[in-house]
Amino acid sequence: MSIISNLARLGVLQAHELFTGRHVLDRLQELNRTQWLPYDELMALQRRKLQRVISYAYQYVPYYRRLFDEAGFHPDDLSRDPNRFVQLPLLTKDLIREHFDELLTTEPARRKRLSTVTTSGSTGHPLTFMQDNDFRDSVTADIQRHLGWAGWQMGECHAYIWGANFEVSTQQALRTRLLDWTWNRFLTNAFLLTDASLADFVAQVRRRRPKLLFGYASSLHRFARFVREKGYTDIRFEGVFSSAEVLLPAVRQAIEETFGCRVFDRYGSKELGGMACECEAHTGLHISAENNYIEILRDDGRPTAPGEQGNIVVTNLNNLGMPFIRYQNGDLGAWYVGPACLCGRAAPMLTPVQGRLVDTFKTRDGRMAWAGFAGAGYSPLAHPSIKQFQVIQKSLDLILVRLVRAGEIPQTVLDTLTQTIHTAFGEDIEVRFEFPDEIPVQPSGKHRYAISELPD
């Protein structure tokens, strides 16, 4: 029966791709091939894709045409002298907001197929951008490739503890259910982790026996604590993937001991897709060299030495609809220093990325909620009138929302945000707003967008 079911799922996926013009399966097959290329061949492939995106941007994207001309740079310079590339100015979130329309492709056919996405704002700065089908297909395929590093095969069941919208249309709900069935996955909402929801998740795990579990580090840790506290000894996985937050060593250990498997640390973002992931050898995080070109720079713009922490700068190699060239995303990382990975993959590796630690909030009735609800892409905090935000749980009865204005914030945005918090934490909680001119960074140099001041 499972073989028939998996064939049916594959058939639906193939039909969906034929109908929509998507190419996830082709991209996955290609990534599974290129990950085994020798280092020189993999880097040559990356250089060809980098040349492609630079040439396209110069021809079709007004912002880069102007930027390259002002810098005295032509795409042909990249093949003659690769060092010219690092002389190009960096792209930042503020520049994207300021030059949004100029950053979009003018190629009519591609422009018609763009879709709008808003990032989660993991550094307190949500960002709206556009993506094309090639980018979406590559992002989805890269996730499936990484799952394969834990032994997963297409059609096998896997589970997620991930953020989900509180309110969706009927059409969206039906589409989500179809995709969940097609990929053989199920989810519990990380924004509302209650004992009841976790107990229901345990029941689903027992019934469906997923091979893998994928989620936010703090939510996975919360689930692991729940399983241990209840004395469940039969909740096991063959691999757990942690993403979107810093995976602390103690958290990794607790998850691995609870579920009897290794944790795979994965680094990615909405605007860039998957950038790096641990393989089965757990040596470091292999970069997705086919999809992103990564630099690690000191504050003065010079490349760091191997093992030296610096600012992560990424050029995406797939999203021609709105190219991200030398994009500084606000994360800190370092190149791995050590022997070649035993898995045999030649892609360069990162050490675990720093700077994405997110607090978990609590409710008076004992529930836990991942604080990332505040920065979800559909959150009112993604409104263009909000330049920066920070959500602080002062007590069980008070949540403080600090908003740096980029313009006049509509009252409807504040009302929607208040209702979102009430949905997550209860109608009785007080929501208080402050509007500072700026929100200072932490001593680490990172901005924490969610802070709990409650005792642990």
Side-chain angles (χ1 to χ4, degrees), residues 67-121:
L67 187 74
F68 292 179
D69 286 344
E70 290 174 352
F73 175 85
H74 189 275
D76 292 343
D77 296 341
L78 187 64
S79 58
R80 291 191 292 265
D81 182 9
N83 291 326
R84 290 294 310 279
F85 180 69
V86 300
Q87 297 171 8
L88 294 175
L90 300 179
L91 181 69
T92 64
K93 289 182 171 68
D94 285 341
L95 287 172
I96 293 172
R97 296 186 187 98
E98 182 180 353
H99 301 284
F100 185 90
D101 292 335
E102 273 193 298
L103 281 161
L104 299 178
T105 179
T106 58
E107 183 187 12
R110 188 176 295 273
R111 190 174 180 117
K112 287 192 299 185
R113 297 194 299 270
L114 295 181
S115 58
T116 304
V117 180
T118 301
T119 70
S120 64

Side-chain angles (χ1 to χ4, degrees), residues 287 294-296 304-309 333-337 348-351:
I287 67 169
I294 296 179
E295 305 169 70
I296 302 180
T304 61
E308 177 187 0
Q309 183 169 272
W335 293 113
Y336 165 81
V337 179
M349 290 186 288
L350 301 176
T351 60

Side-chain angles (χ1 to χ4, degrees), residues 94-361:
D94 285 341
L95 287 172
I96 293 172
R97 296 186 187 98
E98 182 180 353
H99 301 284
F100 185 90
D101 292 335
E102 273 193 298
L103 281 161
L104 299 178
T105 179
T106 58
E107 183 187 12
R110 188 176 295 273
R111 190 174 180 117
K112 287 192 299 185
R113 297 194 299 270
L114 295 181
S115 58
T116 304
V117 180
T118 301
T119 70
S120 64
S122 62
T123 57
H125 295 270
L127 178 71
T128 298
F129 71 101
M130 307 294 282
Q131 62 180 14
D132 60 23
N133 284 346
D134 289 341
F135 175 78
R136 291 196 296 270
D137 293 345
S138 297
V139 168
T140 303
D142 198 47
I143 293 173
Q144 311 310 319
R145 168 177 58 172
H146 288 156
L147 296 182
W149 294 359
W152 176 85
Q153 297 182 21
M154 186 172 295
E156 292 183 320
C157 186
H158 51 302
Y160 285 77
I161 306 179
W162 207 250
N165 202 347
F166 294 123
E167 297 181 5
V168 295
S169 66
T170 301
Q171 182 178 0
Q172 288 174 315
L174 290 174
R175 181 177 180 276
T176 298
R177 289 180 64 182
L178 176 61
L179 288 174
D180 287 345
W181 180 85
T182 301
W183 288 106
N184 198 7
R185 66 194 183 196
F186 62 95
L187 174 147
T188 191
N189 193 346
F191 298 160
L192 288 173
L193 291 185
T194 67
D195 281 0
S197 69
L198 290 174
D200 180 68
F201 192 59
V202 166
Q204 291 187 73
V205 169
R206 284 173 167 165
R207 182 171 43 111
R208 301 185 60 175
R209 295 299 175 186
K211 190 167 188 173
L212 304 178
L213 177 63
F214 193 110
Y216 308 121
S218 60
S219 299
L220 294 169
H221 192 206
R222 169 76 173 98
F223 181 50
R225 290 203 310 270
F226 177 81
V227 168
R228 290 199 308 272
E229 290 167 0
K230 298 299 181 181
Y232 300 141
T233 59
D234 60 334
I235 306 302
R236 292 288 187 270
F237 305 95
E238 294 187 25
V240 173
F241 282 79
S242 170
S243 189
E245 297 173 359
V246 171
L247 179 63
L248 301 177
V251 171
R252 178 196 287 267
Q253 180 179 348
I255 295 171
E256 290 182 341
E257 290 177 352
T258 301
F259 300 128
C261 65
R262 298 299 302 273
V263 171
F264 293 73
D265 191 8
R266 186 175 188 270
Y267 174 50
S269 70
K270 275 192 176 180
E271 65 265 43
L272 299 165
M275 287 175 276
C277 186
E278 282 185 323
C279 69
E280 59 271 27
H282 301 276
T283 304
L285 281 71
H286 292 277
I287 67 169
S288 295
E290 308 93 333
N291 296 334
N292 286 295
Y293 176 77
I294 296 179
E295 305 169 70
I296 302 180
L297 307 178
R298 297 171 178 155
D299 290 338
D300 62 6
R302 293 184 297 126
T304 61
E308 177 187 0
Q309 183 169 272
N311 301 298
I312 294 178
V313 174
V314 185
T315 299
N316 183 264
L317 304 178
N318 299 307
N319 190 8
L320 300 182
M322 188 176 188
F324 280 57
I325 298 175
R326 304 206 76 212
Y327 171 58
Q328 186 169 345
N329 64 2
D331 290 333
L332 303 174
W335 293 113
Y336 165 81
V337 179
C341 188
L342 295 176
C343 74
R345 298 177 182 89
M349 290 186 288
L350 301 176
T351 60
V353 174
Q354 302 299 310
R356 285 190 168 188
L357 184 60
V358 178
D359 283 349
T360 299
F361 287 5

